[in-house]
């Protein structure tokens, strides 16, 4: 974990009508660890939208998603449970869903079902922008197909964000190809820490945030140290570290 020398931009509206938005990505490992620590980390990061991976998807999945939303002061926007096979979108009360775009992906026999939690969102009078939470396969061939399907979530002429657990580092073929078309937020504007796995000894970056070229990245990285984010909570919450990005959505 590295020092956070510059404060990450807060949410808000700029004079030209552009909107600063904080997007967080977090693999919560089905809330099997310290779920109250997960909630504390999310609240301390103060995101507008949270892209969750590995939300509980089988036993009482809706109840677990509702618990996480309530404890973080948010509402469920998209995905969750069996709808998107794990990914979930949470947002603050002022985030409006313009269109749901959840996708259940083709399943490879013997491997986990996977999907995208995705929606077109608007905050106040902002320009609509899409957000997709993803958790890609551990199997390389299936993962490359899923990278291709992610491209369809980002529509021409529309600002869009993809965040998640890609199960591949930036050196991987899928990540490299995706970063040729879309902005790897941490590579563009590094802030905070870099490595997201594993919390006790971070050594790889497999979680990240991507944005379409029309979105300005103001900063992105693992939010530690950050006021209110305790290292003990990061270690207790789950087996991934979160990623927090401040993005500038263009004016309507």
């Amino acid at each position: 974990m590295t020092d956070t020398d510059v404060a990450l931009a807060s949410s808000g509206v700029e004079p030209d009508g552009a909107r600063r938005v904080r997007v967080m990505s977090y693999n919560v490992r089905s809330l099997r660890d310290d779920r109250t620590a997960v909630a504390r980390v999310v609240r301390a990061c103060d995101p507008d939208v949270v892209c969750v991976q590995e939300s509980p998807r089988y036993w009482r999945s809706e109840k677990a998603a509702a618990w996480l939303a309530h404890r973080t002061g948010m509402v469920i926007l998209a995905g969750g449970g069996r709808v998107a096979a794990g990914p979930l979108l949470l947002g603050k009360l002022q985030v409006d869903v313009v269109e749901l775009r959840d996708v259940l992906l083709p399943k490879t026999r013997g491997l986990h079902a996977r999907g995208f939690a995705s929606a077109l969102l608007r905050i106040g009078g902002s320009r609509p922008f899409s957000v997709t939470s993803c958790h890609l396969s551990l199997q390389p061939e299936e993962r490359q197909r899923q990278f291709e399907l992610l491209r369809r979530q980002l529509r021409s002429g529309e600002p869009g964000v993809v965040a998640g657990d890609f199960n591949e580092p930036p050196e991987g073929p899928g990540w490299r190809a995706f970063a040729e078309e879309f902005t790897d937020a941490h590579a563009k504007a590094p802030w905070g820490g870099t490595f997201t796995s594993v919390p006790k000894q971070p050594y790889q970056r497999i979680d990240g945030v991507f944005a379409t070229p029309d979105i300005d990245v103001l900063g992105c990285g693992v939010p530690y140290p950050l006021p209110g984010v305790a290292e003990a909570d990061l270690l207790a919450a789950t087996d991934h570290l979160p990623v927090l990005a401040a993005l500038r959505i263009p004016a309507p």
Side-chain angles (χ1 to χ4, degrees), residues 16-120:
D16 65 353
R19 181 170 287 268
R20 297 185 307 277
V21 176
R22 286 161 72 112
V23 175
M24 182 177 183
S25 182
Y26 206 6
N27 184 322
V28 301
R29 209 167 85 99
S30 297
L31 297 176
R32 288 181 291 173
D33 300 300
D34 186 341
R35 61 173 56 194
T36 59
V38 170
R40 286 193 296 268
V41 169
V42 172
R43 291 183 73 95
C45 289
D46 193 27
D48 297 289
V49 179
V50 184
C51 296
V52 178
Q53 300 86 47
E54 287 196 42
S55 67
R57 55 179 173 167
Y58 296 118
W59 190 67
R60 295 185 177 179
S61 59
E62 293 181 357
K63 183 177 180 180
W67 180 92
L68 184 59
H70 174 72
R71 290 297 294 266
T72 56
M74 297 192 162
V75 295
I76 297 171
L77 303 177
R82 299 184 182 183
V83 175
L88 172 72
L89 288 185
L90 302 178
K92 289 184 175 178
L93 290 174
Q94 61 265 38
V95 179
D96 294 322
V97 177
V98 179
E99 180 185 351
L100 281 174
R101 297 177 180 175
D102 291 336
V103 175
L104 192 61
L105 299 177
K107 185 179 183 299
T108 301
R109 186 171 183 175
L111 299 179
H112 289 298
R114 295 185 185 271
F116 302 148
S118 186
L120 184 65

Side-chain angles (χ1 to χ4, degrees), residues 67-180:
W67 180 92
L68 184 59
H70 174 72
R71 290 297 294 266
T72 56
M74 297 192 162
V75 295
I76 297 171
L77 303 177
R82 299 184 182 183
V83 175
L88 172 72
L89 288 185
L90 302 178
K92 289 184 175 178
L93 290 174
Q94 61 265 38
V95 179
D96 294 322
V97 177
V98 179
E99 180 185 351
L100 281 174
R101 297 177 180 175
D102 291 336
V103 175
L104 192 61
L105 299 177
K107 185 179 183 299
T108 301
R109 186 171 183 175
L111 299 179
H112 289 298
R114 295 185 185 271
F116 302 148
S118 186
L120 184 65
L121 307 177
R122 180 188 286 120
I123 304 178
S126 78
R127 182 173 174 181
F129 61 101
S130 69
V131 179
T132 298
S133 176
C134 66
H135 185 193
L136 303 192
S137 177
L138 289 164
Q139 203 278 334
E141 292 182 1
E142 184 181 51
R143 185 168 61 246
Q144 301 319 304
R145 294 194 295 269
Q146 291 168 355
F147 267 114
E148 290 297 326
L149 293 171
L150 268 179
R151 287 177 169 81
R152 301 181 189 178
Q153 300 299 114
L154 296 162
R155 301 182 182 180
S156 178
E158 180 182 275
V161 178
V162 171
D165 176 357
F166 296 93
N167 271 319
E168 181 173 296
E171 299 77 26
W175 187 302
R176 288 202 316 270
F178 206 70
E180 289 176 359

